[in-house]
Amino acid sequence: MKNYLFDFEQDACIKNELHLNNGIIPICFRDLIPEINNTGYLTHSVYYYPAKFIPQVVKYCIKTFSKENDIVIDPFAGSGTVGLEAYLNNRNSYLLDLNLLLNHIIPIKIPDSKNELKESILRKKLDSLIKSNDKFMPDWSNYEYWYPKEFFDVLSKYWGYIKKDENDIYTKIIESVLVKLSKYYSYAEHKTPKLFKSKSKQILVDKLLKGDWKAGLINELHDLSIKTLLNINNVIQFSKDKNNYVIYHGGIDSANYKYDDIKEFDLLVSSPPYLQAQEYIRTSKMDLYWLGYNDKDIKKLSSLEIPYRKPNKIIETETLNKLKESVTRKDLTRVLDSYFCYVLQSFENSMNLLKKNSKACIFIGNPKVDGIEVEIWKIIKEYFIERGFVFENVYEDRIKTRQLFRMRNNKNPEGMKSEFLLVLRKK
Ligand SMILES: C[S@@+](CC[C@H](N)C(=O)[O-])C[C@H]1O[C@@H](n2cnc3c(N)ncnc32)[C@H](O)[C@@H]1O
């Protein structure tokens, strides 16, 4: 089967070179959780999402810092990795994210059905979809830029069926596959997270148009849908006598969210957006239009995305102040101010609801700004120590990155990447 989306290769830990450095404890999550040997196992890959957690980190935190039936919060839930790992390990979860995709991902990632899904029902739906003549026109001002007419006409019919059909889990499975295929059958480069047209994609589209692309599309729709159903059935099998729940709210600004439906949490496991970020909303734009959102919805979400909004207060910590003295470019200082204002506000908002002695596990790398390394974990630590939290530990997961994106040759294919797990405790 074709590779519809770029994928992270499994990276390897650098085991032999580990040493304690400035109190930072070396760790290798892949070694500590060897039972997970494929980051996309079960339903972790039902949707494509950039900068996902590796499930090993999440499972490690959940197993080490919580007990069965506890409630785990992730205010930057993205694709819901924390939700699935919590569920598989008999915990409840509460997930928030600005990206509306979360509302489409969770129902198939963590199905609430206790009964196995039937292939025959899915096949019947797929047959009806292919014959359907309902059309769905996304409320998207420049869709013509992204599609040749031939692909668009067929895709809009398939989506028309999805919009009219009963919105059950089978429809949601097909919807998730159509999201992937709608990117593949477009001018958008499907192997990288950013939404852009590429020369190689133009060549691929021209080639597809010369052949029987429609038969290919139908085959792929069937194969991927069945594959997704089997993965979901494996989760269902696994969860027969489970009663754990997942609460999720996509389209939420965590920095200003009021947790009205919950009083306290037992654990926070989260990875905030990248400093000079992915632009998650822009990355998901094509998916969101097909899923039924419009220009206005997407604009509104983009305006709330961290770190692209005006800060409403300036954060000061020792490390951040020092860093700002060395960063000379005004635009970069602005990014730093916005980033720390809203990331910390989002964490504080949820960490205030942690029970006494509960832990907050924050997983983040050290990006560079103006050539200077930003120790994000240290700034978060300083901020929360001032607010009565206790610093427990910081771990460094050093991995050898091979090829980050299949199509793009990483500039430093055998390079090194460190990510840090900061553990704080509520007093
Ligand atoms: C590193 S990703 C999280 C990925 C997630 N850990 C996973 O495994 O899929 C950071 C997330 O922060 C979200 N985000 C950015 N600004 C936000 C805001 N103001 N409120 C809530 N989420 C936000 C992005 O949409 C993105 O999903």
Side-chain angles (χ1 to χ4, degrees):
M1 194 171 295
K2 275 185 217 120
N3 168 34
Y4 290 98
L5 296 159
F6 83 99
D7 229 343
F8 280 94
E9 295 284 317
Q10 289 279 314
D11 296 324
C13 286
I14 303 169
K15 294 171 209 142
N16 303 330
E17 296 168 38
L18 299 181
H19 55 277
L20 201 68
N21 177 13
N22 287 335
I24 300 174
I25 304 167
I27 199 163
C28 178
F29 293 107
R30 288 164 180 78
D31 282 358
L32 287 171
I33 309 289
E35 63 276 22
I36 302 180
N37 53 23
N38 167 11
T39 49
Y41 82 112
L42 291 173
T43 48
H44 275 300
S45 283
V46 283
Y47 266 80
Y48 158 69
Y49 205 83
K52 280 201 284 202
F53 254 139
I54 59 162
Q56 291 93 330
V57 175
V58 181
K59 180 163 179 180
Y60 172 83
C61 296
I62 286 175
K63 285 288 209 190
T64 315
F65 302 116
S66 71
K67 54 185 193 317
E68 290 203 354
N69 300 320
D70 273 357
I71 311 173
V72 189
I73 163 81
D74 183 353
F76 297 113
S79 64
T81 311
V82 166
L84 181 57
E85 283 305 315
Y87 188 68
L88 296 173
N89 293 288
N90 305 321
R91 271 68 164 173
N92 305 303
S93 60
Y94 195 105
L95 313 175
L96 299 176
D97 201 279
L98 185 62
N99 200 333
L100 284 155
L101 273 187
L102 183 71
N103 296 339
H104 298 265
I105 299 175
I106 297 301
I108 55 170
K109 190 170 228 173
I110 312 167
D112 57 13
S113 168
K114 294 277 171 214
N115 300 316
E116 279 196 17
L117 307 183
K118 293 196 171 71
E119 266 190 55
S120 56
I121 301 181
L122 185 64
R123 286 187 194 280
K124 218 165 143 192
K125 278 207 185 232
L126 284 165
D127 290 344
S128 314
L129 173 139
I130 284 150
K131 289 181 203 131
S132 159
N133 272 320
D134 295 318
K135 240 185 161 183
F136 169 69
M137 292 298 287
D139 189 354
W140 183 5
S141 41
N142 67 340
Y143 67 83
E144 281 155 331
Y145 173 82
W146 296 103
Y147 288 96
K149 189 176 177 317
E150 295 89 327
F151 291 173
F152 185 82
D153 284 349
V154 170
L155 289 171
S156 68
K157 273 192 196 166
Y158 293 173
W159 278 103
Y161 175 85
I162 296 289
K163 304 291 171 192
K164 289 237 166 114
D165 195 39
E166 161 200 13
N167 193 16
D168 62 7
I169 186 146
Y170 296 96
T171 310
K172 288 185 170 116
I173 291 175
I174 304 174
E175 182 183 85
S176 72
V177 173
L178 271 182
V179 162
K180 290 179 182 166
L181 293 177
S182 300
K183 192 160 184 192
Y184 183 78
Y185 286 90
S186 80
Y187 289 124
E189 184 47 71
H190 59 279
K191 291 185 192 160
T192 60
K194 264 203 176 145
L195 190 60
F196 73 101
K197 273 188 180 183
S198 69
K199 255 210 175 114
S200 62
K201 193 59 194 281
Q202 175 79 54
I203 293 168
L204 175 66
V205 169
D206 290 346
K207 200 174 138 204
L208 284 169
L209 283 170
K210 282 188 192 128
D212 192 357
W213 60 271
K214 200 169 166 199
L217 170 60
I218 292 171
N219 272 339
E220 286 145 7
L221 189 56
H222 270 91
D223 290 354
L224 284 173
S225 299
I226 298 294
K227 198 173 150 208
T228 306
L229 177 137
L230 296 176
N231 281 330
I232 295 176
N233 272 347
N234 287 335
V235 176
I236 292 175
Q237 186 94 45
F238 197 86
S239 60
K240 282 258 152 63
D241 41 40
K242 268 188 206 300
N243 285 310
N244 293 106
Y245 60 80
V246 48
I247 297 173
Y248 57 96
H249 300 295
I252 291 294
D253 171 20
S254 294
N256 288 304
Y257 182 68
K258 303 255 173 302
Y259 293 86
D260 288 334
D261 52 351
I262 196 121
K263 288 215 163 48
E264 48 190 14
F265 297 115
D266 301 286
L267 174 68
L268 174 142
V269 182
S270 196
S271 73
Y274 283 5
L275 178 54
Q276 277 173 307
Q278 285 282 349
E279 298 186 77
Y280 296 90
I281 303 300
R282 205 176 137 208
T283 298
S284 314
K285 229 167 154 179
M286 183 175 258
D287 309 350
L288 291 171
Y289 282 120
W290 280 117
L291 288 167
Y293 303 100
N294 59 32
D295 283 329
K296 208 170 134 211
D297 301 326
I298 291 169
K299 243 196 192 128
K300 190 174 158 224
L301 290 179
S302 294
S303 73
L304 294 170
E305 192 163 354
I306 299 171
Y308 301 106
R309 43 204 280 219
K310 226 174 151 193
N312 58 13
K313 66 175 174 194
I314 301 296
I315 303 292
E316 299 204 28
T317 81
E318 195 189 324
T319 304
L320 182 57
N321 290 351
K322 232 192 247 159
L323 172 74
K324 279 169 64 183
E325 279 165 21
S326 333
V327 174
T328 45
R329 276 175 51 190
K330 269 249 151 16
D331 55 329
L332 295 178
T333 331
R334 226 174 293 133
V335 170
L336 286 171
D337 283 338
S338 171
Y339 183 80
F340 286 104
C341 168
Y342 293 109
V343 163
L344 292 168
Q345 221 160 284
S346 301
F347 279 141
E348 195 168 0
N349 209 2
S350 45
M351 281 162 68
N352 280 341
L353 296 186
L354 281 175
K355 282 183 192 159
K356 193 170 180 280
N357 284 324
S358 292
K359 310 287 192 302
C361 301
I362 296 169
F363 194 65
I364 184 82
N366 278 357
K368 281 198 173 147
V369 162
D370 223 359
I372 307 164
E373 192 168 345
V374 185
E375 289 179 294
I376 297 186
W377 67 266
K378 203 180 255 180
I379 295 168
I380 298 177
K381 169 189 154 184
E382 289 166 355
Y383 181 85
F384 281 104
I385 283 180
E386 282 236 332
R387 280 150 188 85
F389 280 79
V390 179
F391 169 68
E392 292 271 300
N393 274 315
V394 62
Y395 301 91
E396 181 179 4
D397 193 9
R398 290 172 88 202
I399 51 179
K400 226 176 190 180
T401 56
R402 278 183 238 132
Q403 194 186 356
L404 274 188
F405 307 117
R406 285 208 175 136
M407 55 128 8
R408 191 201 304 166
N409 266 341
N410 197 2
K411 280 197 188 110
N412 184 10
E414 289 300 327
M416 228 147 52
K417 196 171 107 192
S418 270
E419 284 184 302
F420 297 86
L421 176 69
L422 169 69
V423 183
L424 299 167
R425 176 166 57 84
K426 176 98 176 259
K427 249 198 240 171

